Amino acid sequence: MEKRNITPWSLTLLAFLFGVQVFAQVNVNMGFNTGQQTFTVNPAGSTFNFYDDGGPGLNYQNNCNFNLSQTTFAPSFNPGNKIRANFVSHSTEGSFDALYIYDGTNTAAPQFNSGNGAPIGGGPAGGFWGASLTGTQWQASPANSTGRLTFAFVSDGSVTLSGWQATISEVFVQACQLIAPANQTVQVGAANCLANVPLALPGNNPAGCANDPGSFLRYSINGGAFVNVNQPYVAPTIQVPVGVYVITWQLINAGGTLLSTVSYTITAQDVTPPTITCPSNIIVNLGPGDCCQYVSWADPVFGDNCQSADGPSTLLQQNVGFTNYWTGYAVNIDNKNPASNLKLTNVNVQASLAGNAAGNYLISVYMKQGTHVGFTGNAAAWTKVGEITANINAGFPTVLLFNVPVNFTIPAGTTAGMYVVANNGGGTGVRMVATIGNAPTEDANLRINQQPGNWVNGLFGGVAFPGENPRPQMRITYNLAGIPTKL
């Protein structure tokens, strides 16, 4: 049977069509310069096949006006229902013809933003073009009390393509509460002092509500970065040393809204006792007339399977061209490891003369927990973690590198700010060297992150040259922090 296309002259038939089809499936075309149109899912359970103005068989037309080509879908009368759109296909001219999706009915600014710029066809920034919507799902957010989604389209005066097809349905959004797993106690291995722990998935009430299409779970360890777990859910496995770990689970809906969160703990124990090896027995024979004698013996030997506190030292080297310099800079240092603290022990940086005579000058490294952004003028936020007196005897461009021993720990999965300054920021005669650019250098555990970075004025005098993102020549030595010896 040929499916029906709803056009403005046939809107009066919509109520009748729904009245005779319990689960009707009706075609709706985007209007072509005919103004705004609204379709309501009625009865609940019905769906729409939503197409561009050309319908299922034709390309969309040229010169579609954004303000005159808008379609809204509303859920049935239950106020808890939300409209959902699943895109089967999408093909519009890149950079010229764009479809927009709004969380509600307000089209003043895109609510779901593709990140694309404004198409030449005349729409605002944020539309979807090309094939970017194919296979995607969009749903009205919990904060959207209307439950509606609105679509708008714009095309220019040349190329036309096949447009899109989306299934429009409604979802009754019931409250979904996660149930925290029971706390876990595990034992680390005797050989490596580590435990492989399958994380317990949270329960949910009502049962199965976390399996709603488009939703997903995510977890973090000790307040670190979240890791997404997509459907179908499989319990991830983490590796941890001895310690107590707080695991936080969150349920996120299709629109990115947090629905529920719970936490539980994993305690990793070392049950292998330490060893004490005593020296051999000693027999002393006293000489004639002796009542006592001084005796020396070897020290006992102690051992433990978890005796090593930290992992091996690791170097992360960031090499850059020598193109710019200033009194100092601030960047972020990210601990990417979700389970282990990261101890910084050395920072290798570059400095040069810029008018001062060759001589001995201070190079200082300050750090803080959390990003440097917004704190470059706040001296109280920073702690000096290393400082050297360096003999700086060459001007820019220079290859003079200086190693600064530091002592700073970045908690698992978090970010720290680093502030490096020459000569206590006293004038511009001695400067720290960097290039301009924001590409970070990283390995499995650490990231030197200039997204963003800042040149700094003097010693905590605020930002200089905003937006330049200095990327310094830098080498960082670090260890993954372990646990204290049990002895």
Side-chain angles (χ1 to χ4, degrees), residues 32-59:
F32 177 70
N33 296 340
T34 55
Q36 200 278 338
Q37 55 185 3
T38 299
F39 300 96
T40 300
V41 176
N42 188 19
S46 301
T47 60
F48 295 102
N49 291 316
F50 179 40
Y51 298 94
D52 57 275
D53 62 81
L58 300 175
N59 288 359

Side-chain angles (χ1 to χ4, degrees), residues 293-367:
Q293 183 175 329
Y294 289 104
V295 177
S296 298
W297 62 87
D299 291 331
V301 178
F302 299 89
D304 189 81
N305 64 310
C306 295
Q307 189 168 356
S308 177
D310 296 325
S313 294
T314 303
L315 299 177
L316 178 62
Q317 178 80 40
Q318 176 166 272
N319 291 313
V320 302
F322 314 134
T323 59
N324 285 273
Y325 55 172
W326 196 242
T327 58
Y329 48 76
V331 296
N332 284 334
I333 309 297
D334 302 329
N335 180 355
K336 299 166 53 182
N337 192 304
S340 295
N341 294 345
L342 188 148
K343 293 183 177 180
L344 272 58
T345 57
N346 287 278
V347 177
N348 190 276
V349 295
Q350 184 183 23
S352 76
L353 300 174
N356 278 17
N360 294 327
Y361 298 93
L362 291 177
I363 297 177
S364 307
V365 178
Y366 296 80
M367 296 197 71

Side-chain angles (χ1 to χ4, degrees), residues 390-408:
N391 184 261
I392 304 176
N393 55 23
F396 183 88
T398 179
V399 292
L400 293 178
L401 301 174
F402 302 95
N403 191 67
V404 184
V406 300
N407 182 11
F408 191 83

Side-chain angles (χ1 to χ4, degrees), residues 4 18 71 123 141 155 158 164 197 199 208 211 229 238 250 268 281 305 319 337 347 353 375 384 394 399 430 467:
R4 298 173 299 279
F18 279 133
T71 299
S141 70
S155 62
S158 56
W164 66 86
V197 186
L199 296 183
N211 298 318
V229 179
I238 63 173
Q250 292 184 345
N281 295 335
N305 64 310
N319 291 313
N337 192 304
V347 177
L353 300 174
F375 293 93
K384 185 186 293 185
V399 292
V430 179

Side-chain angles (χ1 to χ4, degrees), residues 237-455:
T237 297
I238 63 173
Q239 187 178 72
V240 295
V242 173
V244 178
Y245 302 90
V246 178
I247 310 300
T248 299
W249 282 105
Q250 292 184 345
L251 178 64
I252 308 297
N253 77 351
T257 300
L258 174 63
L259 301 179
S260 182
T261 183
V262 292
S263 297
Y264 75 107
T265 61
I266 294 173
T267 302
Q269 297 179 335
D270 177 16
V271 297
T272 304
T275 59
I276 303 176
T277 304
C278 294
S280 300
N281 295 335
I282 300 174
I283 298 175
V284 177
N285 295 315
L286 298 177
D290 290 339
C291 295
C292 63
Q293 183 175 329
Y294 289 104
V295 177
S296 298
W297 62 87
D299 291 331
V301 178
F302 299 89
D304 189 81
N305 64 310
C306 295
Q307 189 168 356
S308 177
D310 296 325
S313 294
T314 303
L315 299 177
L316 178 62
Q317 178 80 40
Q318 176 166 272
N319 291 313
V320 302
F322 314 134
T323 59
N324 285 273
Y325 55 172
W326 196 242
T327 58
Y329 48 76
V331 296
N332 284 334
I333 309 297
D334 302 329
N335 180 355
K336 299 166 53 182
N337 192 304
S340 295
N341 294 345
L342 188 148
K343 293 183 177 180
L344 272 58
T345 57
N346 287 278
V347 177
N348 190 276
V349 295
Q350 184 183 23
S352 76
L353 300 174
N356 278 17
N360 294 327
Y361 298 93
L362 291 177
I363 297 177
S364 307
V365 178
Y366 296 80
M367 296 197 71
K368 65 176 293 292
Q369 301 292 355
T371 179
H372 71 86
V373 177
F375 293 93
T376 53
N378 183 356
W382 298 88
T383 299
K384 185 186 293 185
V385 296
E387 187 175 85
I388 64 169
T389 300
N391 184 261
I392 304 176
N393 55 23
F396 183 88
T398 179
V399 292
L400 293 178
L401 301 174
F402 302 95
N403 191 67
V404 184
V406 300
N407 182 11
F408 191 83
T409 298
I410 307 176
T414 67
T415 291
M418 177 180 287
Y419 190 114
V420 183
V421 66
N423 198 27
N424 282 326
T428 57
V430 179
R431 303 187 188 182
M432 302 306 304
V433 180
T435 188
I436 301 298
N438 60 5
T441 298
E442 59 189 309
D443 61 15
N445 299 301
L446 181 143
R447 180 188 296 115
I448 303 171
N449 195 349
Q450 299 84 220
Q451 296 181 324
N454 286 128
W455 295 112

Side-chain angles (χ1 to χ4, degrees), residues 154-233:
V154 61
S155 62
D156 69 351
S158 56
V159 176
T160 66
L161 296 174
S162 59
W164 66 86
Q165 177 186 351
T167 301
I168 306 296
S169 59
E170 67 172 338
V171 177
F172 183 79
V173 182
Q174 58 184 337
C176 187
Q177 295 297 319
L178 296 182
I179 301 171
N183 294 336
Q184 294 175 264
T185 299
V186 297
Q187 297 177 3
V188 299
N192 62 1
C193 206
L194 296 171
N196 293 316
V197 186
L199 296 183
L201 293 170
N204 45 97
N205 184 28
C209 63
N211 298 318
D212 181 67
S215 298
F216 64 91
L217 292 169
R218 67 182 187 181
Y219 69 91
S220 75
I221 304 171
N222 288 341
F226 277 94
V227 178
N228 293 347
V229 179
N230 295 316
Q231 300 185 38
Y233 299 128

